[in-house]
Amino acid sequence: MLVLVINSGSSSLKYQVRDVDAGTVLAEGLIERIGMGNGGLGDGEPMGPRDHAEALEQVDAELHRVLGDRAVDAVGHRVVHGGERFAEPVLVDNEIIRAIERLNPLAPLHNPANVLGLRAIAEKWPDMPQAAVFDTAFHRSIPEHAWRYAVPDWLYTRHGIRRYGFHGTSHEYVAHRAAALLDVAPEAFDGVVLHLGNGASATAVAGGRSIDTSMGFTPLEGLVMGTRSGDLDPSILVFLARQGHSPDEIDTLLNRESGLLALAGSNDMRSVVEAAASGDRRAALALDVTAYRLAKYVGAYHVAVGGAKAIVFTAGIGENSHQFRALVAARLGALGIELDAGLNAERSKEPRVVSARGSAIPVLVVPTDEERAIAEATAAVVRNAG
Ligand code: ADP
């Protein structure tokens, strides 16, 4: 089955075509500057597509070129917010699109863009089966004692304020592959999964299900990220508001100007590690803050899952930065965790163990592949429906 995987942003559309049965990628691309004219580029630069429908025409032309007479069988969409309704991938119809649209207030930057992508496909190929795969779905198993915030009930009942969690597709995929690497059934996997990309989150997985995760009502909560602050005293927001900063300013401050960028002057972990190695004290402090905060979550989730059987690193930083993994592991000595320096430093695209033989808990590196997970989920949903 050929699945077109779509990740539709407000001004971009990322796509990949996968042959699910062969496990191969046949085409991929990114269309940017949708609806932005030529986006402030100089005269004579090409215009971006006018809207998502026009972007899709470009994708279609590219697919004809690459696939020849083979046709896409289904489309799978990454949808950021599934609210409380969606606990698994679903086949899309008009009612589902409207339900996703009703969740717009919870993810104002992402869900409207996802809806544009869904509608563009439905208009262009009315008979094409489409599936929505939600970033929040894996976390629907989190128990109420972990998703409740200690605030008056109306915040939840009127506004839906609770922990939702994100990166679920990646956490679930990585937990499954980690279980396979350890030779345990997915339903028997207890561990802590660390998705460390530009956005970063930790998930406590017990019996193969998410029971807690560091991102909350929005992806701002939790770990120190590329440009997001992660956890801080909520009174800081009130203080800033009283100082006259607007909600939009505070939003930008905490989501785009904080994290590694604020501490080290760069949100690129490679540059931060290099700067620290060459003696930059701000960069070294940024690494310490980030690793310390992550190690605290690992300790907390080790307790939450009743004793983790694995600590799993994934995504850009988790997969590639042996230096950052070493900094985190160095803070986990109390759990009996010890890396094997040689294994940790090895570069590989394969799932692997990087801890020492005597480590009380194995430490794994498991590459994530959200597009593959979305393609496989889409194929499963379409096959079940047919
Ligand atoms: P996104 O959340 O945008 O998908 P990624 O998963 O691609 O992000 O992760 C981006 C992060 O991974 C950046 O901080 C980048 O510096 C880091 N990264 C990528 N490759 C390496 C590497 N070889 N060494 C250290 N960090 C890396």
Side-chain angles (χ1 to χ4, degrees):
M1 183 182 288
L2 291 196
V3 176
L4 170 62
V5 177
I6 299 266
N7 187 348
S8 175
S10 56
S11 67
S12 69
L13 196 153
K14 212 164 126 186
Y15 67 93
Q16 213 178 65
V17 177
R18 316 225 15 158
D19 183 329
V20 172
D21 310 294
T24 50
V25 179
L26 303 180
E28 60 188 323
L30 169 67
I31 295 177
E32 293 179 289
R33 292 188 289 120
I34 299 173
M36 290 171 29
N38 79 353
L41 301 175
D43 289 343
E45 291 293 334
M47 297 278 280
R50 214 172 338 127
D51 51 22
H52 285 71
E54 206 172 290
L56 198 56
E57 292 302 329
Q58 289 183 19
V59 175
D60 191 26
E62 179 63 12
L63 295 190
H64 274 295
R65 200 181 65 72
V66 179
L67 302 180
D69 341 324
R70 293 186 76 186
V72 164
D73 300 297
V75 178
H77 293 258
R78 176 187 188 201
V79 176
V80 167
H81 220 302
E84 292 199 311
R85 170 164 171 185
F86 297 107
E88 50 191 37
V90 289
L91 199 63
V92 171
D93 58 20
N94 281 330
E95 190 274 322
I96 296 283
I97 296 181
R98 282 194 298 274
I100 294 170
E101 207 166 25
R102 280 196 296 277
L103 296 167
N104 283 356
L106 292 178
L109 293 181
H110 294 105
N111 271 36
N114 298 153
V115 167
L116 287 173
L118 285 157
R119 290 227 162 94
I121 300 271
E123 270 159 37
K124 184 164 173 56
W125 295 306
D127 297 327
M128 176 73 76
Q130 299 197 71
V133 181
F134 301 92
D135 246 25
T136 49
F138 182 54
H139 301 302
R140 288 291 290 112
S141 47
I142 293 178
E144 187 165 358
H145 65 256
W147 65 249
R148 273 277 172 183
Y149 292 117
V151 292
D153 207 41
W154 62 267
L155 272 71
Y156 170 56
T157 52
R158 199 182 303 165
H159 298 298
I161 292 176
R162 52 160 285 175
R163 176 179 312 287
Y164 292 100
F166 300 89
H167 289 147
T169 305
S170 176
H171 284 294
E172 181 173 24
Y173 175 83
V174 167
H176 267 80
R177 295 197 84 191
L181 183 64
L182 295 174
D183 212 12
V184 300
E187 332 55 89
F189 179 80
D190 299 332
V192 183
V193 180
L194 310 173
H195 176 111
L196 312 176
N198 266 314
S201 63
T203 293
V205 180
R209 291 152 66 89
S210 169
I211 60 155
D212 203 353
T213 193
S214 59
M215 285 179 167
F217 177 60
T218 75
L220 181 56
E221 193 179 346
L223 308 176
V224 177
M225 312 183 209
T227 63
R228 295 187 202 132
S229 63
D231 298 333
L232 40 71
D233 180 344
S235 291
I236 295 169
L237 280 68
V238 180
F239 174 85
L240 290 171
R242 288 190 179 132
Q243 294 288 314
H245 295 278
S246 71
D248 282 350
E249 281 170 4
I250 297 172
D251 188 43
T252 301
L253 193 72
L254 299 179
N255 278 294
R256 298 179 191 276
E257 298 172 357
S258 294
L260 278 181
L261 178 63
L263 294 171
S266 167
N267 62 334
D268 183 328
M269 182 54 94
R270 262 166 307 200
S271 317
V272 179
V273 166
E274 279 165 23
S278 61
D280 182 330
R281 291 202 43 222
R282 276 180 79 205
L285 176 66
L287 292 178
D288 272 349
V289 172
T290 308
Y292 171 71
R293 291 262 297 268
L294 178 55
K296 283 206 294 187
Y297 266 96
V298 174
Y301 287 175
H302 174 64
V303 173
V305 303
K309 307 292 189 317
I311 310 295
V312 192
F313 284 86
T314 194
I317 297 168
E319 291 166 30
N320 297 300
S321 185
H322 63 91
Q323 298 96 331
F324 187 69
R325 289 195 300 263
L327 284 173
V328 177
R331 293 189 175 277
L332 296 173
L335 299 184
I337 286 173
E338 193 193 334
L339 291 189
D340 177 306
L343 291 177
N344 186 44
E346 246 167 54
R347 294 195 64 83
S348 160
K349 290 272 163 230
E350 295 303 312
R352 59 200 185 276
V353 177
V354 296
S355 47
R357 222 171 238 281
S359 182
I361 304 173
V363 179
L364 316 184
V365 176
V366 174
T368 190
D369 190 341
E370 286 169 282
E371 282 78 15
R372 175 174 166 186
I374 293 170
E376 289 176 354
T378 300
V381 162
V382 170
R383 283 185 179 129
N384 278 342

